[in-house]
Amino acid sequence: MTDKNELAQIGVVGLAVMGSNLARNFARNGNTVAVYNRSPEKTHALIEAHGEEGNFVPSETIEDFVASLERPRKAIIMVKAGKATDAVIDQLAEAMDDGDIIIDGGNALFTDTIRREKDVAARGKHFVGAGISGGEEGALNGPAIMPGGPKESWETLGPILESIAANVDGTPCVTHIGPDGAGHFVKMVHNGIEYADMQVIGEAYQLLRYGAGMEPAEIAEVFREWNSGDLDSYLIEITAEVLAQKDPETGAPLVDIIVDAAGQKGTGRWTAINGLELGVPITGIAESVFARALSSSTAQRSAAQEGQLPAGTIKALDVDKAEFIEDVRRALYAAKLIAYSQGFDEIKAGSEEFGWDVDPRDLATIWRGGCIIRAKFLDRIRAAYDNNADLPALILDPYFKGELEDLIDPWRRVVVAATQLGLPAPVFASSLSYYDSLRAERLPAALIQGQRDFFGAHTFKRTDKPGTFHIEWSGDRSLIQTD
Ligand code: NBP
């Protein structure tokens, strides 16, 4: 149904797959929704195909679109992230009145959101950068939404966003994350965790396929079973679906037909870059981004295969298949735990750096539904931060420490097996090194400090007394206290 005279509670600009599904979601949930797309064909197509799902108010100019919104106006931008977003913000800010709210629901870089929030606030309007997770299916049936921006905008926006968000146990998967770029920052790290979660699942598959010699359909059954335990999650569920799928053309397992070069749109890379900038070791996420890059290094990979880099002579392990499968399950759980722990570390560091006061419990709550990393496991994360909001690291929570007791030996065995089999398991292996680094009483950082002092007089601290010291390396090698 469309009615040009009815004022809309919310508007959506950009009606490609995400925007049109979000608009339908608003309409299906009883909101009158204004819709506008730069090229009117998409607006017409939406109304023609889905106009009966609720109340839509279509417009062909941004001015008509703005005029069709009730005050304070609320418009969500769902256009290609980047320049298009800036162009639409400018048009909306021009046409809107003071106090109106512009929401960017695209995958914006959080530093752009911080800049945009300042610019839009200077023009008298509110700007909310909102991370929206769940892909096109989530946009239609209930995404997880992570809005940042001014708290007062949340008072107005909250109820309408709650009406379309996913819902778990009566709790909507949306809450105000924090000021300016907090929402998009958290969405970025969510995507980084998603990269790591997908990569560890991929590594488990690789080991079962080429280590245990199992066929995709058989591995699909294993994943189905895993989905009823600690690993219960959307990603494990769809992994079973993908592995069970046959290619409709050839009848071969689809996974064997798909080119093994993973794509990316950049949010994982941003998460890794930001981790480097903040000095937070998000090794699982960074390795996952590198793993996708390596998979797409087609020329290098084919030269390495053709040139036959030596594989070594160590014989494969003789493992019991059932035990190996269970070990891989536990290694996957452990590596996943590390990736989440590191992701939450990054959120904590970002929140401190930018003064956002993000509550990790909110994330564990809203990520339980709608989003790609939704998992049973998030209830445990929520409980961990409920018990201790200042946990130094997620893996130090008593429940997860207990889990690690049972995971550590299988995890080590799997990394050894992968190494001996010559199978890549970058996140399984690097997460284990991260874990052992955290546990280590002494790290080689002492030696690195010595080297730095040797070549650059960078000084060092002593374990036995306060102060800053230097050795006269090129002189008599005496100790000098510099501070
Ligand atoms: P796209 O990212 O493919 O963007 C297409 C839309 O942007 C069209 O409506 C297009 O209008 C509009 N647009 C462009 Br391009 N340049 C414009 C300009 N200068 N002025 C006005 N409109 C312009 O759409 P999408 O895949 O639906 O994603 C929308 C946003 O949601 C993106 O930021 C994306 O990163 C984010 N997101 C996507 C997913 C997903 O699963 N796809 C998930 C989560 C978030 P036109 O029709 O006139 O060309």
Side-chain angles (χ1 to χ4, degrees), residues 13-20 36-40 42 77-85 87-88 91 104-108 132-136 187 191 265:
V13 181
L15 301 174
V17 55
M18 287 294 286
S20 53
Y36 167 77
N37 191 72
R38 178 180 59 176
S39 36
K42 284 200 180 76
I77 302 171
M78 291 304 293
V79 302
K80 195 173 167 63
K83 284 195 185 117
T85 311
V88 175
Q91 290 163 7
D104 175 19
N107 268 336
I132 301 184
S133 175
E136 52 184 287
K187 170 63 170 34
N191 283 27
K265 285 194 174 166

Side-chain angles (χ1 to χ4, degrees), residues 88-298:
V88 175
I89 290 171
D90 190 51
Q91 290 163 7
L92 285 174
E94 197 59 38
M96 283 178 154
D97 291 319
D98 285 5
D100 288 347
I101 306 171
I102 300 172
I103 306 120
D104 175 19
N107 268 336
L109 182 59
F110 75 96
T111 46
D112 284 342
T113 304
I114 293 174
R115 165 180 62 80
R116 287 167 180 153
E117 206 265 337
K118 272 203 190 78
D119 292 350
V120 172
R123 295 168 81 170
K125 284 94 193 168
H126 296 285
F127 183 75
V128 172
I132 301 184
S133 175
E136 52 184 287
E137 199 271 337
L140 184 60
N141 297 317
I145 312 176
M146 295 149 252
K151 182 84 178 161
E152 52 191 304
S153 306
W154 170 246
E155 311 294 332
T156 316
L157 270 180
I160 199 161
L161 294 182
E162 284 173 356
S163 78
I164 61 151
N167 196 296
V168 177
D169 304 334
T171 307
C173 296
V174 53
T175 195
H176 183 241
I177 303 294
D180 57 61
H184 274 139
F185 181 86
V186 158
K187 170 63 170 34
M188 173 188 80
V189 178
H190 162 285
N191 283 27
I193 293 173
E194 177 185 312
Y195 273 53
D197 208 339
M198 293 169 76
Q199 175 65 25
V200 290
I201 290 172
E203 291 177 18
Y205 158 74
Q206 181 89 350
L207 287 162
L208 297 182
R209 183 78 194 275
Y210 303 105
M214 295 165 68
E215 287 304 310
E218 196 185 355
I219 304 174
E221 286 311 312
V222 169
F223 274 96
R224 254 183 213 127
E225 202 186 307
W226 288 357
N227 199 37
S228 59
D230 299 316
L231 294 175
D232 179 342
S233 62
Y234 172 72
L235 282 170
I236 294 282
E237 180 190 329
I238 66 163
T239 299
E241 293 289 324
V242 174
L243 288 174
Q245 181 67 39
K246 295 258 188 285
D247 172 37
E249 279 194 8
T250 60
L254 182 68
V255 71
D256 287 349
I257 299 293
I258 298 176
V259 173
D260 60 344
Q264 52 177 314
K265 285 194 174 166
T267 44
R269 187 171 60 232
W270 292 346
T271 315
I273 291 170
N274 179 259
L276 291 171
E277 282 173 354
L278 292 174
V280 183
I282 32 81
T283 56
I285 295 169
E287 282 291 356
S288 306
V289 177
F290 288 137
R292 288 198 191 188
L294 190 151
S295 75
S296 303
S297 302
T298 316

Side-chain angles (χ1 to χ4, degrees), residues 213-430:
M214 295 165 68
E215 287 304 310
E218 196 185 355
I219 304 174
E221 286 311 312
V222 169
F223 274 96
R224 254 183 213 127
E225 202 186 307
W226 288 357
N227 199 37
S228 59
D230 299 316
L231 294 175
D232 179 342
S233 62
Y234 172 72
L235 282 170
I236 294 282
E237 180 190 329
I238 66 163
T239 299
E241 293 289 324
V242 174
L243 288 174
Q245 181 67 39
K246 295 258 188 285
D247 172 37
E249 279 194 8
T250 60
L254 182 68
V255 71
D256 287 349
I257 299 293
I258 298 176
V259 173
D260 60 344
Q264 52 177 314
K265 285 194 174 166
T267 44
R269 187 171 60 232
W270 292 346
T271 315
I273 291 170
N274 179 259
L276 291 171
E277 282 173 354
L278 292 174
V280 183
I282 32 81
T283 56
I285 295 169
E287 282 291 356
S288 306
V289 177
F290 288 137
R292 288 198 191 188
L294 190 151
S295 75
S296 303
S297 302
T298 316
Q300 251 187 359
R301 284 182 62 197
S302 91
Q305 284 161 32
E306 284 160 14
Q308 291 166 349
L309 288 175
T313 56
I314 297 175
K315 291 277 177 287
L317 286 181
D318 188 17
V319 286
D320 175 86
K321 188 170 153 189
E323 281 173 18
F324 185 65
I325 293 172
E326 178 56 13
D327 275 2
V328 170
R329 186 188 73 81
R330 290 180 193 222
L332 165 50
Y333 183 14
K336 175 177 163 134
L337 186 49
I338 297 296
Y340 279 68
S341 191
Q342 294 176 340
F344 275 86
D345 285 348
E346 184 168 356
I347 288 170
K348 186 175 175 203
S351 178
E352 280 167 8
E353 172 80 13
F354 297 101
W356 288 325
D357 205 16
V358 175
D359 186 338
R361 288 171 301 183
D362 285 346
L363 310 179
T365 305
I366 66 172
W367 289 349
R368 290 180 309 159
C371 65
I372 304 294
I373 63 171
R374 60 185 182 260
K376 206 170 98 180
F377 167 73
L378 284 157
D379 282 327
R380 293 289 183 190
I381 297 182
R382 161 93 208 196
Y385 285 115
D386 271 343
N387 287 341
N388 179 2
D390 297 318
L391 257 183
L394 194 54
I395 50 170
L396 290 165
D397 165 68
Y399 174 81
F400 288 125
K401 272 201 289 190
E403 293 288 89
L404 283 160
E405 291 280 351
D406 294 335
L407 304 178
I408 185 65
D409 284 351
W411 188 12
R412 291 196 194 287
R413 282 197 293 271
V414 167
V415 171
V416 168
T419 307
Q420 294 212 341
L421 291 161
L423 291 172
V427 177
F428 278 13
S430 65

